[in-house]
Amino acid sequence: MRTASADLLAARTVTVDGSEVWLRVTASPVDLEIRWRGGDRLAGSPVLFPAGDRSRRLLGAGLRAGTTFCLDVVGEQDPDWAGVVDWNV
């Protein structure tokens, strides 16, 4: 499993077939809707992260090795949010 807590919107590459992508928002003053993006196309459905809720949520599953993805905030992005993304899970 790979984990990142910095630059959450950066591109990452899956290295294990059938992987999942998870996110836990650790700080946000507002509700966030986040999905994963594969290259230039939207790939995942938006997942709601209510303000103050620190639950870990599944963003995508069944990703193939070699898939490049990044996270995408739906709507306006609040610059003051933070979290932890896990992939190759």
Side-chain angles (χ1 to χ4, degrees), residues 5-88:
S5 59
D7 196 6
L8 294 172
L9 303 180
R12 294 170 170 79
T13 301
V14 172
T15 58
V16 179
D17 274 334
S19 288
E20 297 174 344
V21 175
W22 292 82
L23 177 66
R24 181 172 56 90
V25 173
T26 57
S28 178
V30 299
D31 293 351
L32 294 173
E33 279 190 295
I34 299 179
R35 63 183 159 216
W36 67 274
R37 177 187 288 273
D40 291 333
R41 68 180 184 87
L42 295 177
S45 297
V47 176
L48 177 63
F49 292 84
D53 185 345
R54 305 296 183 250
S55 299
R56 186 174 178 239
R57 290 182 167 66
L58 179 67
L59 296 180
L63 301 176
R64 293 183 175 188
T67 300
T68 300
F69 75 93
C70 60
L71 302 183
D72 182 49
V73 178
V74 178
E76 291 186 32
Q77 178 182 343
D78 186 310
D80 295 327
W81 73 280
V84 176
V85 62
D86 298 317
W87 70 103
N88 290 338

